[in-house]
């Protein structure tokens, strides 16, 4: 018996892990809708292979509403909010402009949840709503400090996602906070442990094999190991 083709919405797929996840799910036979905010040559190449490319800015309510209107007849087995920013993360909190703190917190901790609220009704029963978090968002593991504004934004994302899950207690889909590992992207840098393909494959494995169909909440790494909140 053939199974229906699964459909993923990857939000923030212009480059890096978002692009890698788009390619990974495409190669695994999924139908993929992937979003960009601006120019995305890599994503355009995948469009020629069947990826549906949409444009959205998760910090803009009107932009999110417009995407929802364009996709309102769709059901997604996966909605994965990858989009995020890294600005002045190497500086101590006191050395970062207030406007930067505001932007990092908005984009990394608030906008993903607002997007999830807008699209919760499009997640298929037994599906997954995932957020790209980070081990740096673990309060329990923060023993050395550093990357202060980024750490705080990801810890806030984790907390906000837990609140989202509580508000949607009757949901029929799982909520995941996922740490991709230290990946060689523009954000992760060249000295990272993993390449994009390895991380994306691990994250896809977790979503497909380990968590699919479970309406629970978990904070996991790309190997499926639980992380302390």
């Amino acid at each position: 018996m053939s199974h229906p083709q699964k459909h993923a919405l990857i939000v923030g797929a212009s480059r890096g892990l978002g692009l890698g996840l788009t390619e990974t799910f495409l190669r695994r036979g999924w139908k993929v809708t992937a979003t960009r905010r601006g120019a995305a040559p890599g994503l355009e190449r995948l469009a020629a292979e069947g990826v549906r490319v949409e444009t959205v800015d998760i910090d803009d309510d009107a932009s999110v509403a417009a995407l929802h209107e364009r996709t309102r007849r769709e059901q997604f087995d996966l909605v994965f909010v990858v989009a995020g920013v890294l600005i002045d993360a190497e500086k101590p909190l006191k050395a970062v402009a207030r406007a930067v703190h505001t932007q990092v917190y908005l984009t990394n901790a608030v906008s993903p949840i607002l997007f999830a609220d807008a699209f919760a009704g499009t997640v298929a029963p037994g599906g997954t709503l995932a957020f790209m978090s980070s081990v740096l968002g673990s309060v329990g593991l923060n023993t050395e400090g550093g990357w202060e504004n980024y750490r705080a934004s990801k810890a806030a994302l984790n907390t906000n996602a837990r609140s989202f899950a509580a508000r949607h207690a009757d949901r029929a889909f799982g909520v995941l906070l996922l740490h991709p590992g230290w990946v060689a992207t523009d954000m992760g840098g060249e000295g990272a442990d993993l390449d994009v393909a390895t991380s994306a494959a691990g994250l896809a494995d977790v979503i497909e094999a380990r968590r699919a169909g479970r309406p629970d909440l978990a904070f996991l790494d790309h190997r499926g190991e639980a992380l302390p909140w």
Side-chain angles (χ1 to χ4, degrees):
M1 178 185 294
S2 62
H3 296 283
Q5 185 181 31
K6 291 186 177 181
H7 191 180
L9 173 61
I10 310 296
V11 183
S14 299
R15 54 196 172 94
L17 279 167
L19 183 60
L21 285 162
T22 298
E23 184 165 15
T24 297
F25 281 107
L26 179 67
R27 303 285 179 250
R28 294 186 181 197
W30 287 54
K31 178 181 178 182
V32 183
T33 299
T35 77
R36 62 184 181 182
R37 189 175 61 175
L43 196 55
E44 292 296 343
R45 287 193 292 273
L46 292 180
E49 299 184 41
V51 171
R52 175 180 172 182
V53 177
E54 289 283 355
T55 300
V56 71
D57 180 349
I58 65 169
D59 290 335
D60 184 327
D61 292 336
S63 178
V64 172
L67 176 64
H68 186 269
E69 177 61 25
R70 294 194 298 274
T71 59
R72 61 189 173 86
R73 293 184 176 86
E74 305 283 350
Q75 280 260 283
F76 299 105
D77 300 281
L78 170 66
V79 174
F80 197 158
V81 185
V82 180
V85 294
L86 180 73
I87 309 172
D88 290 344
E90 73 285 356
K91 296 180 181 179
L93 216 63
K94 65 182 180 181
V96 178
R98 289 180 182 271
V100 170
H101 287 305
T102 300
Q103 184 62 62
V104 170
Y105 182 79
L106 176 68
T107 302
N108 289 356
V110 176
S111 293
I113 305 301
L114 297 181
F115 189 96
D117 274 315
F119 278 79
T122 70
V123 183
T128 301
L129 200 156
F131 301 94
M132 190 68 81
S133 186
S134 169
V135 68
L136 295 178
S138 169
V139 175
L141 292 178
N142 183 8
T143 58
E144 298 181 359
W147 285 48
E148 294 181 34
N149 71 353
Y150 186 76
R151 277 185 188 273
S153 71
K154 290 300 185 178
L157 172 64
N158 291 354
T159 294
N160 289 342
R162 291 187 69 131
S163 296
F164 169 88
R167 280 192 285 107
H168 295 272
D170 59 347
R171 68 190 184 279
F173 57 84
V175 177
L176 295 182
L177 284 302
L178 293 173
H179 166 56
W182 184 18
V183 186
T185 62
D186 290 345
M187 187 177 288
E190 295 181 356
D193 297 329
L194 301 173
D195 59 23
V196 168
T198 301
S199 175
L203 293 170
D205 286 345
V206 172
I207 291 164
E208 285 189 317
R210 298 287 299 277
R211 311 305 300 189
R214 304 182 196 176
D216 59 354
L217 167 71
F219 180 24
L220 307 172
D221 68 13
H222 68 287
R223 300 163 299 187
E225 299 295 327
L227 296 171
W229 296 94

